[in-house]
Each structure stands twice: as C-alpha cells, then as structure tokens.
Amino acid sequence: MAQSTETTDWVSRFADEVIEESERRAPGKPVVVASGLSPSGPIHLGNLREVMTPHLVADEIRRRGHQVRHLISWDDYDRYRKVPAGVAGVDESWAEHIGKPLTSVPAPKGSAHPNWAEHFKAAMVEALAELGVEFDGISQTAQYTSGAYREQILHAMRHRGDIDAILDQYRTKKSPAAQAKKSQKPVDEAELEAAEGSGAAAEDDGSSGSAGYFPYKPYCGDCEKDLTTVTAYDDDTTELTYTCTACGFTETVRLSEFDRGKLVWKVDWPMRWAYEGVIFEPSGVDHSSPGSSFQVGGQIVGIFGGEQPIGPMYAFVGISGMAKMSSSRGGVPTPGDALKIMEPQLLRWLYARRRPNQSFKIAFDQEIQRLYDEWDKLDAKVADGTALPADVAAHARAVGTAAGELPRTPRPLPYRTLASVADITAGHEDQALRILSDLDPANPLGSLDEARPRYDRAEAWINTHVPADQRTIVREEPDAELLKSLDEQARGSLRLLLDGLDAHWSLDGLTHLVYGVPKVQAGFSADATPKELPPEIKGDQRKFFALLYHLLVGRDTGPRLPTLLLAVGQERVRTLLGD
Ligand SMILES: [Zn+2]
C-alpha cells in the first residue's frame, strides 16, 4: 500500500474537505465522488480532467484508508446530436440517427462494439486502465431503461411546478445579447467539444407546451428520436401522452411502468447527485456560470432530498501541436492518443501538479521533450530528497495509486535522446540498441526492453508528430564538394574531432569533445570554463556545429550532436567527415 502524502497540495486539501463532508452527510458509508462523460464521439483529451480531478482526490482518500466509490456516469442515454467529422467508418448517413439515444445509434463500420456509445466508451476505458484510474462505470441507458430512476421521475413530474419555478429564475436572466456574444465567440470544433464536457450541454431544460412544463422527455416509440412533446399528464394515473414531431407518432403510456425516456439534463444531474449521494463532482467552466447546470442543480437537488456536491470548477486543458493530426482526424485528440507518445506517469503528473482552476497544455509538439526533461529532473530530486514537498506530492500521485506503483521503464533514458535515436535509426532495433548502449559504455543496455515503454512512446512521437521536413536523414555519401571547399581552420577542427572520437565514444565523452574542439583551436584547454574564454568562442562553436550538421545530415540543425554522432556510428562519421 502506498503511503498517504503528508503535505497539503490541492488534492490533499480537497480530500480533507470531502472526507469531512461525507462523514457529516453519510456517516460510515463509502465516500462517493463522480465524473460524467458523454460518449457522443471520440472522447476529447481535454475531458480527461473531468475524470482525473475526482480520481486524484479519491486516490488520496483511499491512501488514507477510507472506502471510496468513484462513479463514472456514462451519459450514453443522451441524444445523438451530430455526426462528428473525420471519424473512420462513419459517413453522412449517420445523420438519420440524430435524436436517438447514443446506445441506439450503430457503431462505426468495422467496430467490434454493439453501438455508437459502446464504441467510444471502450477506447476511454482502455486509456483509464492504463492510467491506473479505478472507477465504477454506470450506464445511464441501463439505469433509465431498467426503471432504476422510476420513483425519481415520478417525483420530478409531481414537482414539475417547483422545478419550473427554479428554472424560470434563470430563464429571465438570459439576455439575448449575452446569448449572441457566446455564439459569436470564435472557438474551433475541438474546443467546443471539450467545452460541452459531460451531459448534453446543448440539451434544453424541458418543454413548456400548452399542457405546461415537463422535466421529462420520452424517446419516440416509433422512430426512437427525442423530438417528442408531452401533451398531457395525469398525476394520479401517471398517464402521459406525447406526440413525435419527427414522425407524427403519438401514444399514451403509464409513466409508472414506462422506461423509454429521461429527465432533462438540468434535472437529471441533480437527481443523480441525490440518488448516488455524490459528495464531490467537479465540472468544467461552462457548467459553473450563473444559470448553468451546476448552479441550477444546486437548487433542484433539494427537491430530490439531496445536497449539491463539492464541485470545483476546472479550467480547460489545451493541446499543443495537434494541428497536423486535427485535419485528418476530426480535431479530436483522445487520452489514448496522448498515451501513445507519453507514459501514464507523465500524463498523471500534468494533472496532479496543477490546481483544477489552472489551465495547462498537453504537448504533442517539441515541447514534450522539455516536459520530459522536467519530469526526469523532478524524479532525480525526489530520489535524492531535495524536492519541495508539493512537488514530492505531485510526483507520488503521478507514479502510482493507493493500489501500488504503475509499471515504469526500467532504464528511463532521456526522452529527447530516445526520440533522436528512433529518428535516426528508423525502426532498426539492433542499431538503436547499439547506440543506446554507447551512451554509457560502462553500463550498457542488455536489451531494448530495458528502455521500454518509454522508447516506444518516443518512437511513436517521432513517427506521428514530427513533420517530415524536421526528420533527420543521415547522408549516404560524403558531401565531397563541401569537404573540398573547407579552409584550413575548418579542416583543423574536423581533424581534432576525428582524432578524439575513439577516446570519447560515450554521451559524456562526445559532449566534452564537440564543445572542446573550438576551445583547443583557439589555444585554450578543452576543460576551460566559459569565464576563462573570450566571448568569440560561442560563435566558433556555432560555426563548427553547423559544419558537422551539414556534413552528417545535410542541414543546419539536427538532434544534439553527441547523440547524433553516437547514432551515426564511428565508422560512418569518419567517412562522412572525410577521414
Ligand atoms: Zn417519432
């Protein structure tokens, strides 16, 4: 069992508050925290915060020895609102299903799953398992169609006047100007998807027809769509009549035995807070503004005899470097996409180290290399006991859960080095192993597996997120023309490098050598520190490095030179440098 972190980071502070509140509301019962996800398409990486925030708090509570249920409500009984762009196996014909529950829409062609919701849920479940997130999944389709909420639905219908009155306070506050402003705000599709978060934000809060207000909507008995209007309801018999505006179907059912419909979102959510006894459920900024589902829910939940959960607002999580992928993939990076290029520890850390109200970006571009450097530095500080308490806490939450440590890479070599090696070796594993062993010849790798899974993540990043014009292609033949045109000084620098290769063939050795050559040429010791050197040395070093890049890869820049030299191999380096 992992130890509780003693420090008070944001997770710890929420855990204190949630435990205390749970003791007050439901003494002796497991603490309940919740997340909601709508499998209306690929689940956006930005929505992972909806799960990670309660997960981290639940995990801290478990570390302290309490029982916790982390519910993930799959909002799979929500209506299918639109056909997402760029999803493989889906075409415009899916538009005919708009208005049906997500579980009644066919899965994309070729899917192994029985319906739309299950298809997209499966990818998320897989990612959550890899991230070490323990949860109880609750299908809202299963809940509604089994009649689990029947009493709550009848109760809401009896109190529809009260509900209508609460909603009405906010309806009048929605000025047309404010509405217009919101819709004019330029947001891309991906951001919009993330903003919608859990529960169908676009869904209305119930219909006020000539028969009055009803917080319940049946799915049509003929076409299955939710384009229905309740035209009559009798509280005593629970007889409900609706008509479908899509197909014209009409029927009268007895709500006390009818299970094909749902409460509207703004009533559904607080009903479930009360039903499950939720103590903690954060929500996105869109759900926290005045008149939002969270605020209105806080008033409606009392009708169901419950209380509003502790519900911090979380800021959006941005993505950097997905532009290329966006155009081909409908603009939806998923948690699974992130886990292809980074280990779960790194992804967990990004969420653990920032308070929910702080926004941050998940990097798919070059920034991921810097992020990994930062993570490795923290890892080393934690190991030698010099990290700050809050950083130690974030690190502990990243590397494991109350159930134990997540599997880690046995030899976590620098990500940027692994990426360079994968870049240069282009899938040749024997070459990659040779180079990685040369990094530290005193302590060579027994097999590439020791560097996995980090190596595989770095390789996937190089192959899927680094544009072709930034990839490294080592020259096949020496650049004879350039070699011939070199002046005395350039030739001299290459000579110094070539003569030192044998003795310096390791990452540290080559680093010392490539920086030392210009110093030696200028008459200083290779060990001279910047203070002992004239400023011109910097320019000499830049010139020397550019020459090496040109001779090795035919460009001005490339991976760090020591890594590149190791990757190219001593024999080929000698050939390309005209030895
Ligand atoms: Zn219909």
Side-chain angles (χ1 to χ4, degrees), residues 10-23:
W10 69 267
V11 180
S12 216
R13 287 193 297 272
F14 272 125
D16 294 341
E17 202 184 330
V18 171
I19 290 169
E20 193 186 319
E21 194 58 20
S22 187
E23 292 294 328

Side-chain angles (χ1 to χ4, degrees), residues 220-225 227-228 244-249:
C220 174
D222 192 24
C223 73
E224 278 193 273
K225 296 184 178 180
L227 301 168
T228 55
C244 175
T245 57
C247 71
F249 182 78

Side-chain angles (χ1 to χ4, degrees), residues 272-288:
R272 290 192 271 117
W273 292 340
Y275 184 88
E276 302 286 0
V278 178
I279 306 290
F280 182 76
E281 181 169 3
S283 53
V285 282
D286 57 319
H287 284 151
S288 307

Side-chain angles (χ1 to χ4, degrees), residues 25 38 171-172 174 313 349 363 378 493 498:
R25 293 190 196 179
S38 181
R171 288 193 193 110
T172 55
K174 275 189 203 163
M313 175 212 83
W349 180 57
L378 171 62
S493 63
L498 290 164

Side-chain angles (χ1 to χ4, degrees), residues 16 88 101 130 187 219 361 380 388 427 447 467 488 546 552 571:
D16 294 341
E130 201 177 333
V187 287
Y219 280 110
K361 280 191 171 178
L388 296 170
S447 101
E488 232 6 78
L552 296 170
E571 202 176 323

Side-chain angles (χ1 to χ4, degrees), residues 84-239:
V87 175
V90 176
D91 56 42
E92 269 315 300
S93 70
W94 261 259
E96 71 182 73
H97 302 293
I98 288 172
K100 294 181 188 175
L102 292 166
T103 38
S104 294
V105 177
K109 281 187 205 104
S111 168
H113 302 283
N115 60 59
W116 186 271
E118 292 298 327
H119 177 82
F120 293 105
K121 207 194 277 186
M124 189 67 177
V125 167
E126 198 181 316
L128 292 176
E130 201 177 333
L131 283 164
V133 175
E134 195 182 308
F135 66 91
D136 290 349
I138 297 179
S139 157
Q140 293 306 324
T141 299
Q143 293 290 93
Y144 271 106
T145 60
S146 69
Y149 300 143
R150 186 170 295 127
E151 283 311 313
Q152 284 71 18
I153 292 168
L154 294 174
H155 187 79
M157 288 297 264
R158 272 197 298 279
H159 293 84
R160 60 187 178 277
D162 301 331
I163 292 171
D164 192 28
I166 292 169
L167 291 170
D168 204 43
Q169 300 164 16
Y170 297 97
R171 288 193 193 110
T172 55
K173 282 180 188 164
K174 275 189 203 163
S175 72
Q179 293 279 64
K181 200 171 162 195
K182 199 177 170 197
S183 63
Q184 280 162 13
K185 194 178 154 201
V187 287
D188 68 35
E189 198 67 3
E191 259 182 87
L192 196 64
E193 280 295 324
E196 282 173 358
S198 84
E203 197 178 312
D204 65 12
D205 54 17
S207 57
S208 289
S210 53
Y213 170 80
F214 297 102
Y216 177 86
K217 229 174 209 282
Y219 280 110
C220 174
D222 192 24
C223 73
E224 278 193 273
K225 296 184 178 180
D226 72 341
L227 301 168
T228 55
T229 308
V230 175
T231 54
Y233 183 67
D234 184 314
D235 282 297
D236 296 330
T237 63
T238 80
E239 273 187 357

